[in-house]
Amino acid sequence: MFPDSSNYLTTEDLALLDSVELSLYEHDLREYTVEAWKVIEPRRVFQHNWHHDVICDHLMAVTEGHIKKLIINIPPRHMKSLTVSVLWPSWEWIRHPEIKSLTVAYGRTLATRDARKTRQVIQSKWYQERWGERFRLLLDQNVKSYYENDKGGIRIAGSFESGVTGEGGGRVNIDDPTELKNARNARALESAIDTYVEELASRLNDPVESAQVLIMQRLNDNDLTGYLLREQVGQWVHLFLPQKYEPDRKCVTFFHRTINEVKTPVMFEDPRTEPGELLHPNRFPKEVVDQMEKGDPFIWSGQQQQRPTVKGGEIFHEEWFETNYYRVLPNNLDFSWESCQSWDMTFKDTKHSDYVCGTVWVRQGADIYLLYRKKEKLNFPKTVKAIREVTALFPQVGPKLIEDKANGPAIISTLKREIMGMLARDPGTGGVEALAQATSYMVEAGNVHLPHPSIAPWVTDLVKELTKYPRAQYDDQVSSCVQAWYWYHERPAMAMNRNDILSEGEHEPVTHFMGRKIF
C-alpha cells in the first residue's frame, strides 16, 4: 500500500521543487543513490567514496544500452548489493517503468530482502512525491518476491538453491551466486554455473537489448566470474576493485555513456597509484584492513582482493619451484628401481570435464625429477592408447600408479595383462588435498625438480595449477603429481645412493631417452 496521499506535498508544493534537482536525480544514478540511501538507512550517514560513483557509472551505461554484460567484483560491505540490487532497479523504473527484472542470489532470503527494499524505496514518501505519477504498483501482484506495476514492469526475486522462475526479463541481476562456505565445493560451484547456463542465460526477453549484471566476491578460479571470463572472452565488462591496490592488477574498463544525448566513449582506470592503497579508507581504515589481512588467507585473497587464489600459492608456493628447475638431468638415472608413471583419470569426455593427466618421475637420492607430462581431454579408448604410448616411450619405468576412481579401475582391468605394474592408488579419505598437504614438504625442501619452462613450456601451466590449488579450475595435474610424490614419501630412498655405485666417469646430460627426444 502507498502512504496516505494526505501526507504528500500539495501540487503547489511540488511545483516549487527544484526542477534541476529532480532532473539530476532522474538522470544521474550517483546523485539518486545519495538521496535514496536516506530512505533505506535514515539513521546512518552515507560515507561517499569514489567507488560508489564508478559502480553507478557502469550501471547507467547498462541502462543506456551500452553495456550488455557487466561483472562487478568488490569486497563485502561496500554497498554493492544496495546499489545494484536495491537502488538501481527503483531508479530504472523512473526512466523505464516497463523494465522486467530478475534478481537471483545464492539464497532466496537474500534476493527477497533486496526486492523488499526496492519496494520500500518505491513506496516511500520521498519517491512518491517525485515520481509517483510515473507508475503504480498493482496490488494484486505485490508480494515480497514478485510485484508488477501498471506499465508492464516486473520485479522478481529468485535463488540458486531453489531454482529460478520461468519468467523472463530485460535485466538478469546475479548477486553472490555461491555462498562463502562453498568456495572449495566443486559440486556447488558447478551447480551455480549450470544454473546460469541452463536457466538464467535463457531468461533474457531480448537477447540483443536485455542485459546481465553479476556482482560477487571472488571465491574460486571456477566460480561464476571465472567461468564467464574464460568461456565468454571479451563479452563482459569486468570491474574489479581490490581492498588493497595491486599495481600489477590495475583495473581498466572501456564502455560508452550517453552524455548530453551523445554516445561518448569512457575509460575507467583505478585511480589509486601506490601499492597497498586502500579502497575506502574512511570506512575501512588501515588498522581495520591490516587486521582482516591477518585472518584466513583465502578470505583475504578472494573476498577482499578479488583474487580467487592466495598470492604466491597456499599449499605450494611459486618460489619453491622457481629455485629448483633443471635444464639438464643428472647422469645415470635409475629407471628400473626409482621411477614411476602417475595417472589421474577423468569421469567423462565433455567440454567442461577434467583432463586426463599422466606424469613420469624418477628419483635420484632424495631428489625427484619430472621427465614427462601428458595432459589432454580423452575418452576411454584414447586414455588406454595414451598409457600405451607413454609406456613405450619409457619402457623401463616400473609402477604405473592409477588413481582408483573415475575410469581408473576400468583402465587397470583393460591393461593389466598387457602392461606390467598397473597399480590402483586410493587417495584416501582426505583426497587429493590431503596428499598435497602431506607432500608439500618435499617441494619446500627443494627435492622436487621440474624442467625449466625454456625447455618444457607446459611447466608454466603446471606450476600455475599447483600454486592455485585447491581453488584452481582443474586439479588433474596436481592429482597426478602428488600421487607420485606420496608414492616416494611412503618409500624413502635407500641410505646409499645406487647411482654412486653404478656410475663411473663423466656422462653426457640426459635430453633423450631410448633414442627419443623428451625435451
Side-chain angles (χ1 to χ4, degrees):
M1 297 292 291
F2 294 123
D4 189 333
S5 61
S6 63
N7 292 326
Y8 293 173
L9 295 174
T10 65
T11 303
E12 291 78 12
D13 291 332
L14 284 171
L16 296 176
L17 284 174
D18 188 345
S19 61
V20 175
E21 180 185 75
L22 278 179
S23 178
L24 187 62
Y25 296 158
E26 290 176 19
H27 292 89
D28 194 331
L29 179 59
R30 296 168 298 186
E31 298 294 336
Y32 174 88
T33 296
V34 173
E35 292 302 311
W37 163 271
K38 300 172 185 176
V39 175
I40 301 297
E41 299 286 352
R43 297 185 179 182
R44 292 176 57 202
V45 176
F46 179 47
Q47 294 180 294
H48 179 266
N49 191 54
W50 61 264
H51 80 275
H52 297 125
D53 294 341
V54 171
I55 293 174
C56 288
D57 277 337
H58 285 75
L59 292 175
M60 285 189 284
V62 174
T63 299
E64 294 161 358
H66 303 310
I67 295 179
K68 303 300 183 184
K69 295 181 176 182
L70 172 63
I71 292 175
I72 302 174
N73 299 141
I74 192 169
R77 314 304 297 173
H78 281 73
M79 228 176 99
K80 67 176 181 62
S81 292
L82 189 58
T83 302
V84 179
S85 299
V86 176
L87 301 181
W88 180 48
S90 68
W91 179 80
E92 283 210 296
W93 270 7
I94 296 172
R95 298 159 57 93
H96 303 287
E98 73 283 0
I99 286 178
K100 297 176 174 64
S101 65
L102 168 63
T103 298
V104 186
Y106 67 78
R108 182 171 292 276
T109 300
L110 295 177
T112 301
R113 175 204 66 187
D114 290 340
R116 177 181 56 79
K117 287 184 176 180
T118 299
R119 189 178 61 178
Q120 178 185 344
V121 173
I122 292 171
Q123 292 182 324
S124 70
K125 180 179 178 181
W126 173 79
Y127 191 98
Q128 286 297 310
E129 285 176 343
R130 289 155 178 79
W131 304 289
E133 298 304 317
R134 302 285 177 93
F135 63 89
R136 292 286 181 180
L137 294 182
L138 300 179
L139 299 182
D140 60 340
Q141 294 291 340
N142 187 1
V143 294
K144 292 179 181 179
S145 60
Y146 184 104
Y147 46 88
E148 300 181 15
N149 66 41
D150 61 353
K151 298 298 188 293
I154 302 176
R155 178 80 158 85
I156 309 167
S159 74
F160 281 80
E161 64 183 10
S162 59
V164 296
T165 177
E167 292 279 357
R171 300 281 183 269
V172 172
N173 301 329
I174 304 169
D175 190 345
D176 283 334
T178 306
E179 199 169 2
L180 176 60
K181 68 180 183 181
N182 289 324
R184 293 164 69 177
N185 184 329
R187 185 168 297 178
L189 294 167
E190 290 173 6
S191 177
I193 292 171
D194 289 343
T195 298
Y196 171 82
V197 172
E198 297 168 7
E199 299 185 56
L200 292 176
S202 63
R203 290 289 181 262
L204 297 173
N205 284 344
D206 185 335
V208 176
E209 296 299 328
S210 299
Q212 306 172 61
V213 178
L214 167 63
I215 51 171
M216 63 180 293
Q217 299 96 36
R218 294 306 307 274
L219 300 175
N220 189 294
D221 249 12
N222 204 34
D223 59 21
L224 187 54
T225 289
Y227 169 82
L228 293 174
L229 294 178
R230 283 192 305 271
E231 298 298 321
Q232 300 180 12
V233 177
Q235 297 183 34
W236 293 79
V237 174
H238 185 203
L239 175 64
F240 63 95
L241 299 173
Q243 184 72 261
K244 282 188 172 182
Y245 179 59
E246 297 178 356
D248 59 335
R249 297 176 61 238
K250 186 183 186 73
C251 178
V252 179
T253 64
F254 300 90
F255 56 101
H256 285 86
R257 284 289 321 282
T258 299
I259 301 174
N260 296 325
E261 301 184 356
V262 176
K263 183 179 179 181
T264 306
V266 176
M267 182 186 80
F268 161 76
E269 55 181 328
D270 195 316
R272 295 173 287 180
T273 57
E274 297 299 322
E277 193 172 344
L278 301 181
L279 176 60
H280 192 355
N282 288 336
R283 179 162 166 74
F284 293 94
K286 184 177 185 302
E287 58 271 20
V288 173
V289 174
D290 287 347
Q291 191 62 37
M292 289 192 293
E293 190 172 6
K294 293 177 182 178
D296 188 324
F298 273 136
I299 292 178
W300 170 257
S301 183
Q303 281 199 311
Q304 300 297 329
Q305 291 301 100
Q306 311 315 309
R307 188 179 355 93
T309 53
V310 177
K311 191 171 185 179
E314 185 204 0
I315 298 178
F316 303 109
H317 296 264
E318 290 180 33
E319 62 269 21
W320 296 353
F321 298 101
E322 292 172 351
T323 55
N324 290 288
Y325 289 135
Y326 71 84
R327 286 184 170 84
V328 177
L329 282 166
N331 298 317
N332 288 340
L333 292 172
D334 187 354
F335 286 87
S336 59
W337 288 42
E338 295 282 7
S339 60
C340 70
Q341 290 183 36
S342 179
W343 289 88
D344 172 71
M345 303 303 180
T346 185
F347 281 91
K348 52 189 177 180
D349 177 30
T350 66
K351 180 179 179 181
H352 301 298
S353 65
D354 281 356
Y355 291 83
V356 170
C357 183
T359 51
V360 179
W361 301 84
V362 64
R363 176 168 62 180
Q364 187 180 73
D367 292 321
I368 303 167
Y369 297 86
L370 175 61
L371 303 183
Y372 186 83
R373 182 217 67 167
K374 186 175 185 65
K375 173 190 171 186
E376 196 172 345
K377 290 190 176 182
L378 303 173
N379 57 22
F380 185 87
K382 290 180 179 179
T383 300
V384 171
K385 181 181 178 183
I387 294 176
R388 287 173 175 152
E389 290 174 345
V390 175
T391 300
L393 183 61
F394 298 93
Q396 289 182 293
V397 171
K400 288 78 180 174
L401 313 177
I402 311 294
E403 191 173 18
D404 193 17
K405 68 176 187 178
N407 291 333
I411 293 289
I412 293 174
S413 179
T414 300
L415 292 175
K416 66 181 181 180
R417 300 302 177 194
E418 175 187 340
I419 297 177
M420 185 179 295
M422 302 290 291
L423 300 179
R425 294 291 291 174
D426 184 353
T429 56
V432 174
E433 186 170 349
L435 297 185
Q437 295 283 4
T439 57
S440 62
Y441 78 93
M442 301 164 72
V443 186
E444 184 176 8
N447 296 126
V448 174
H449 302 272
L450 309 180
H452 194 278
S454 64
I455 60 174
W458 47 263
V459 167
T460 301
D461 176 66
L462 171 59
V463 172
K464 183 178 180 180
E465 184 177 303
L466 285 162
T467 55
K468 284 191 171 187
Y469 185 78
R471 298 202 184 200
Q473 179 189 7
Y474 297 111
D475 66 356
D476 39 272
Q477 296 179 100
V478 175
S479 180
S480 176
C481 289
V482 300
Q483 181 173 252
W485 300 344
Y486 199 73
W487 171 265
Y488 289 120
H489 167 80
E490 292 180 311
R491 294 160 179 77
M494 295 179 63
M496 182 178 290
N497 188 342
R498 289 184 300 279
N499 293 290
D500 293 338
I501 299 173
L502 297 174
S503 63
E504 294 182 5
E506 297 296 324
H507 301 273
E508 291 298 316
V510 178
T511 58
H512 290 65
F513 185 80
M514 297 294 289
R516 302 186 187 186
K517 189 175 186 297
I518 60 175
F519 297 122

Short mmCIF file of all heavy atoms in Angstrom, two decimals, residues 1 65 79 91 161 252 317 331 348 396 399 475 512:
data_model
loop_
_atom_site.label_atom_id
_atom_site.label_comp_id
_atom_site.label_asym_id
_atom_site.label_seq_id
_atom_site.Cartn_x
_atom_site.Cartn_y
_atom_site.Cartn_z
N MET A 1 0.84 -1.19 0.00
CA MET A 1 0.00 0.00 0.00
C MET A 1 0.89 1.25 0.00
O MET A 1 1.93 1.30 0.62
CB MET A 1 -0.90 0.01 1.25
CG MET A 1 -1.88 -1.16 1.31
SD MET A 1 -3.16 -1.06 0.04
CE MET A 1 -4.06 0.37 0.65
N GLY A 65 21.92 1.13 -22.49
CA GLY A 65 22.07 0.14 -23.54
C GLY A 65 23.47 -0.04 -24.07
O GLY A 65 23.67 -0.73 -25.07
N MET A 79 28.57 -1.57 -0.29
CA MET A 79 27.29 -1.11 -0.85
C MET A 79 27.00 -1.68 -2.23
O MET A 79 26.24 -1.11 -3.00
CB MET A 79 27.24 0.41 -0.90
CG MET A 79 25.94 0.98 -0.32
SD MET A 79 25.96 2.78 -0.31
CE MET A 79 25.02 3.16 -1.76
N TRP A 91 15.51 3.14 -9.53
CA TRP A 91 15.88 4.27 -10.39
C TRP A 91 15.51 3.99 -11.85
O TRP A 91 15.02 4.87 -12.56
CB TRP A 91 17.38 4.53 -10.25
CG TRP A 91 17.91 5.66 -11.09
CD1 TRP A 91 17.83 7.00 -10.82
CD2 TRP A 91 18.62 5.55 -12.32
NE1 TRP A 91 18.45 7.73 -11.81
CE2 TRP A 91 18.95 6.85 -12.75
CE3 TRP A 91 19.03 4.47 -13.10
CZ2 TRP A 91 19.66 7.11 -13.92
CZ3 TRP A 91 19.74 4.71 -14.27
CH2 TRP A 91 20.04 6.02 -14.69
N GLU A 161 19.68 -21.80 -4.95
CA GLU A 161 19.45 -23.00 -4.16
C GLU A 161 18.10 -23.65 -4.43
O GLU A 161 17.94 -24.86 -4.30
CB GLU A 161 19.58 -22.69 -2.66
CG GLU A 161 18.54 -21.72 -2.14
CD GLU A 161 18.74 -21.36 -0.67
OE1 GLU A 161 19.81 -21.72 -0.14
OE2 GLU A 161 17.84 -20.74 -0.07
N VAL A 252 41.07 -1.67 -15.50
CA VAL A 252 40.76 -0.70 -16.55
C VAL A 252 39.57 -1.23 -17.33
O VAL A 252 39.56 -2.39 -17.74
CB VAL A 252 41.96 -0.49 -17.50
CG1 VAL A 252 41.59 0.52 -18.60
CG2 VAL A 252 43.19 -0.02 -16.74
N HIS A 317 54.11 -23.06 -3.06
CA HIS A 317 54.48 -21.68 -3.34
C HIS A 317 55.34 -21.58 -4.60
O HIS A 317 56.18 -22.46 -4.86
CB HIS A 317 55.22 -21.08 -2.15
CG HIS A 317 54.37 -20.99 -0.92
ND1 HIS A 317 53.70 -19.84 -0.55
CD2 HIS A 317 54.03 -21.92 0.01
CE1 HIS A 317 53.02 -20.06 0.57
NE2 HIS A 317 53.20 -21.31 0.93
N ASN A 331 73.15 -37.59 -14.35
CA ASN A 331 73.62 -38.76 -15.09
C ASN A 331 73.14 -40.05 -14.45
O ASN A 331 72.91 -40.12 -13.23
CB ASN A 331 75.15 -38.77 -15.15
CG ASN A 331 75.68 -37.55 -15.88
OD1 ASN A 331 75.15 -37.17 -16.92
ND2 ASN A 331 76.73 -36.94 -15.33
N LYS A 348 34.45 -38.12 -17.50
CA LYS A 348 33.70 -38.05 -18.76
C LYS A 348 34.50 -37.25 -19.77
O LYS A 348 35.37 -36.45 -19.42
CB LYS A 348 32.33 -37.40 -18.53
CG LYS A 348 32.40 -36.05 -17.81
CD LYS A 348 31.02 -35.56 -17.41
CE LYS A 348 31.12 -34.24 -16.64
NZ LYS A 348 29.82 -33.72 -16.24
N GLN A 396 61.36 -48.76 -19.28
CA GLN A 396 61.99 -49.24 -18.06
C GLN A 396 61.31 -48.74 -16.80
O GLN A 396 61.65 -49.18 -15.71
CB GLN A 396 63.47 -48.81 -18.05
CG GLN A 396 64.33 -49.57 -19.05
CD GLN A 396 65.78 -49.14 -18.95
OE1 GLN A 396 66.10 -48.01 -19.28
NE2 GLN A 396 66.64 -50.03 -18.48
N PRO A 399 56.36 -49.06 -11.81
CA PRO A 399 54.94 -48.94 -11.45
C PRO A 399 54.21 -47.86 -12.23
O PRO A 399 54.75 -46.80 -12.51
CB PRO A 399 54.99 -48.60 -9.96
CG PRO A 399 56.34 -48.00 -9.74
CD PRO A 399 57.25 -48.71 -10.70
N ASP A 475 42.28 -29.81 -11.25
CA ASP A 475 43.29 -30.34 -10.34
C ASP A 475 43.92 -31.63 -10.86
O ASP A 475 44.55 -32.37 -10.12
CB ASP A 475 42.70 -30.58 -8.95
CG ASP A 475 41.63 -31.68 -8.94
OD1 ASP A 475 41.29 -32.21 -10.02
OD2 ASP A 475 41.13 -31.99 -7.84
N HIS A 512 67.60 -37.14 -24.10
CA HIS A 512 66.90 -38.15 -24.88
C HIS A 512 66.75 -39.41 -24.03
O HIS A 512 67.53 -39.64 -23.10
CB HIS A 512 67.67 -38.49 -26.16
CG HIS A 512 67.68 -37.40 -27.17
ND1 HIS A 512 68.31 -36.17 -26.93
CD2 HIS A 512 67.13 -37.31 -28.40
CE1 HIS A 512 68.16 -35.39 -27.98
NE2 HIS A 512 67.44 -36.05 -28.89
#
